[in-house]
Amino acid sequence: MVICFQCPDADDSSEDTKKVYSPLTLEKLAMQRLLREEALAISALKDLPHLLFPVMFEEAFINGHTKVLTAMIPVWPYPYLSVGIMIENRNLETLKAMLEGLDILITQKVRSSRCKLREINWRNEYHDVTGIWAGSHELLPRLMTQKQPVQNSPGCGVKKELKVTTQLEITEGRLDESDRYLFQWAQQRKDSIHLCNRNLEIQGLTKATVIEIFKFLHADCVQDLMLCHLSIEDFDFLNPYLRQLNNLLNLTVCHITDTLRMGDSDMSLLPPFHCLQKLSVNESPYIYGNLKGFLRCLKKPLASLSITDCNFSQSDLDCLSYCSNIFELKSLNLDSINLCDLLLEPLGFFLERVGHTLKYLGLESCGIQDSQLNTLLPALSQCSQLRVVNFNDNDFSLLFLKELLHHTAQLSQLESEAYPVPLECYDRDVILKHRLEKFCPELLDILRANRMPKEVTFETSQCFNCGGYYIYDLETESCHYEI
Ligand SMILES: [Zn+2]
Ligand SMILES: [Zn+2]
């Protein structure tokens, strides 16, 4: 717990908080005018240029012109229609309007030659833009770069004329009304429509809902699963269902509690997953003493492991160095796992083993001390593929931080590096800004002696009073306050 001595006044006029007003485009204005008369808008569809379909659909969607939405579906001139998760007015009425349009399309004897529609994506979490997208969600540029490992995701194998993809959320044990409607609608048209759920979220368990959903769900379609607010007893019930998810790629679990206080258990919590690539665990008391059993669900080398805000016992850390299927990791994130009372040799062995593949290493807020650092350094220098490291918010003195930098200076692939400021930058608990300005240039010189660093920061801990912190970065070579 530190304070920054003189908390600068937070600057209310900061650019981030200013709202950016963009003028409406001419296209949008023209659409809004046209949509004032729905009948006219619908009759204009036959002459509407392809390029204007997404704009018009978006305007009609946001402003609730449901008749226009229904009319647009049977003549949609693109193979895909994706509705971003952030779009305004995404509710049961707009969903019903779209499904009515699909009903017209299904029952038409002769289809409009213009219609190319094959897939509607409802509730697309990867859709960053708030609006309507006329491309496949799998082709979104952002998805390709940031949301790996879905990039090679194959089609789900179910071949039907029309597909509706959605992400299914069971929150507090219940489905929301749009999901429930969509489910029942698709069920009644299962000969012509494939309802494809790539994402499944179970937040809190109601057995009846899970039973109902798995009656209709194509379990092979699910690639992303999130399990939240469950206790380990819930898994006795859930596991026969989870076992059906043969193509699961990404699993996130958070807030899993160990009400039975099993501790130090070898027992597997989850069924085996045969193609899992990414596993994330967050704020789950269950992990303490149980990591070994938990990792038994892996049946294939994992690409990304993230365990954050959990407590580790020594046996949890030990098991990293001998659990199979985690030795080809590209990304390891152990942020906010308190390691200060543990022996870090097993973590060193582990880093040695993943040194040929590891590209990302996150050890922020792990409470690592000087005396523990030496055991990690030899292994760290072997991680020659590392692109990103984050050691923020650990307790290193100047001497040991320099030692760390002498090692990372050897890692020629590093693109982004985050370090804590040395302990000498605090006087008891007060942040001494001028000391950052004194030490950080020296520290940067250690890296520069070996290579051209690209992105480097040295950060203080957060001020207990104002939540702000000081950061010294390579780009400006100066110290500034951030909040
Ligand atoms: Zn402060
Ligand atoms: Zn599918």
Side-chain angles (χ1 to χ4, degrees):
M1 204 183 287
V2 300
I3 52 169
C4 67
F5 192 59
Q6 269 190 316
C7 303
D9 292 327
D11 184 5
D12 292 335
S13 66
S14 93
E15 281 186 21
D16 292 348
T17 58
K18 275 186 196 155
K19 282 198 173 149
V20 180
Y21 293 100
S22 60
L24 283 173
T25 61
L26 271 176
E27 281 172 0
K28 275 197 176 178
L29 283 170
M31 286 307 158
Q32 284 173 358
R33 204 183 166 90
L34 183 60
L35 285 165
R36 277 189 218 145
E37 284 189 63
E38 286 193 346
L40 192 65
I42 290 168
S43 70
L45 283 178
K46 60 180 187 309
D47 300 317
L48 193 71
H50 287 192
L51 279 174
L52 293 182
F53 266 74
V55 190
M56 176 142 159
F57 196 89
E58 187 169 322
E59 281 305 311
F61 196 98
I62 292 169
N63 296 303
H65 297 292
T66 50
K67 288 201 179 83
V68 180
L69 294 179
T70 303
M72 288 189 85
I73 299 284
V75 288
W76 188 255
Y78 300 97
Y80 301 97
L81 169 53
S82 286
V83 180
I85 195 160
M86 296 299 289
I87 196 165
E88 279 173 53
N89 219 8
R90 214 171 49 81
N91 55 36
L92 186 57
E93 292 317 306
T94 41
L95 174 66
K96 276 183 176 170
M98 288 171 67
L99 297 182
E100 267 173 46
L102 273 180
D103 271 335
I104 296 172
L105 190 59
I106 297 168
T107 49
Q108 266 173 349
K109 292 225 167 62
V110 183
R111 245 174 228 185
S112 153
S113 59
R114 205 174 191 196
C115 180
K116 302 272 185 304
L117 189 63
R118 292 203 313 268
E119 180 174 333
I120 288 185
N121 192 259
W122 177 253
R123 197 214 284 273
N124 188 342
E125 72 155 331
Y126 299 119
H127 198 341
D128 235 8
V129 193
T130 54
I132 299 294
W133 166 264
S136 159
H137 60 289
E138 278 162 22
L139 296 178
L140 282 171
R142 183 172 172 273
L143 179 65
M144 302 291 270
T145 52
Q146 292 183 8
K147 293 269 182 171
Q148 46 99 21
V150 191
Q151 73 268 48
N152 294 325
S153 89
C156 65
V158 183
K159 291 270 177 279
K160 291 261 170 68
E161 216 176 335
L162 284 165
K163 180 149 112 175
V164 180
T165 57
T166 184
Q167 163 188 344
L168 206 53
E169 278 175 23
I170 307 176
T171 308
E172 289 172 13
R174 282 198 305 273
L175 275 179
D176 86 3
E177 58 171 359
S178 299
D179 281 337
R180 182 171 294 278
Y181 185 86
L182 179 56
F183 241 71
Q184 285 163 355
W185 178 89
Q187 189 54 24
Q188 288 156 7
R189 291 152 185 82
K190 59 179 184 225
D191 293 335
S192 39
I193 297 276
H194 170 50
L195 181 62
C196 190
N197 296 286
R198 293 291 170 99
N199 307 68
L200 175 63
E201 278 186 40
I202 300 179
Q203 307 207 28
L205 184 67
T206 300
K207 291 181 180 176
T209 312
V210 172
I211 293 169
E212 183 193 352
I213 282 170
F214 272 82
K215 261 189 213 155
F216 306 125
L217 183 79
H218 294 271
D220 283 345
C221 297
V222 179
Q223 295 183 338
D224 289 73
L225 173 67
M226 181 188 252
L227 300 169
C228 247
H229 297 289
L230 299 169
S231 78
I232 58 168
E233 295 121 303
D234 292 332
F235 285 84
D236 288 340
F237 168 79
L238 266 180
N239 278 348
Y241 296 99
L242 301 184
R243 214 176 279 279
Q244 300 171 27
L245 307 178
N246 292 316
N247 294 320
L248 196 66
L249 296 175
N250 304 319
L251 172 64
T252 303
V253 299
C254 45
H255 302 286
I256 306 294
T257 51
D258 181 358
T259 40
L260 302 177
R261 305 213 175 281
M262 302 281 282
D264 278 316
S265 155
D266 237 9
M267 300 271 287
S268 176
L269 180 75
L270 295 161
F273 294 118
H274 293 275
C275 49
L276 205 65
Q277 294 180 6
K278 193 174 168 189
L279 176 59
S280 308
V281 186
N282 183 248
E283 280 190 75
S284 290
Y286 156 77
I287 286 296
Y288 185 83
N290 291 315
L291 185 61
K292 187 178 166 197
F294 183 77
L295 293 176
R296 277 182 197 276
C297 66
L298 303 174
K299 293 296 162 207
K300 193 193 138 187
L302 197 67
S304 167
L305 177 64
S306 168
I307 308 174
T308 55
D309 277 301
C310 296
N311 287 323
F312 265 18
S313 69
Q314 185 66 47
S315 72
D316 295 323
L317 197 59
D318 293 351
C319 87
L320 287 181
S321 60
Y322 61 82
C323 270
S324 53
N325 290 320
I326 51 172
F327 295 140
E328 292 175 29
L329 285 187
K330 292 194 174 76
S331 170
L332 174 67
N333 184 7
L334 297 176
D335 290 352
S336 301
I337 301 277
N338 191 355
L339 299 175
C340 79
D341 296 323
L342 303 181
L343 298 170
L344 296 196
E345 279 80 358
L347 184 57
F349 295 141
F350 180 59
L351 289 179
E352 265 172 43
R353 296 201 69 167
V354 295
H356 62 297
T357 53
L358 201 65
K359 291 185 174 169
Y360 177 96
L361 176 62
L363 290 172
E364 182 173 353
S365 306
C366 290
I368 303 174
Q369 319 271 314
D370 280 349
S371 56
Q372 297 172 295
L373 195 57
N374 275 337
T375 56
L376 292 184
L377 292 180
L380 187 66
S381 1
Q382 291 179 36
C383 295
S384 57
Q385 306 301 312
L386 274 176
R387 305 284 197 280
V388 182
V389 289
N390 184 349
F391 293 99
N392 272 342
D393 199 21
N394 286 288
D395 302 330
F396 303 142
S397 66
L398 184 61
L399 185 68
F400 281 83
L401 188 58
K402 282 183 174 171
E403 198 53 36
L404 171 61
L405 288 162
H406 277 294
H407 282 78
T408 53
Q410 313 294 328
L411 302 173
S412 59
Q413 309 280 324
L414 272 185
E415 289 164 2
S416 168
E417 336 172 31
Y419 303 99
V421 301
L423 293 173
E424 284 81 352
C425 291
Y426 305 94
D427 178 16
R428 289 188 209 98
D429 292 331
V430 177
I431 300 169
L432 305 174
K433 185 185 167 209
H434 65 280
R435 295 251 176 112
L436 270 78
E437 277 155 356
K438 176 164 180 273
F439 295 132
C440 295
E442 283 177 41
L443 292 163
L444 283 174
D445 283 342
I446 298 176
L447 301 177
R448 285 198 189 110
N450 278 280
R451 59 180 164 85
M452 286 291 290
K454 290 182 182 139
E455 199 184 300
V456 185
T457 57
F458 297 93
E459 240 180 71
T460 68
S461 300
Q462 276 188 322
C463 165
F464 181 66
N465 282 339
C466 63
Y469 55 92
Y470 285 97
I471 184 165
Y472 187 100
D473 63 29
L474 173 68
E475 197 186 352
T476 61
E477 297 210 33
S478 64
C479 177
H480 44 271
Y481 170 85
E482 285 191 7
I483 192 159

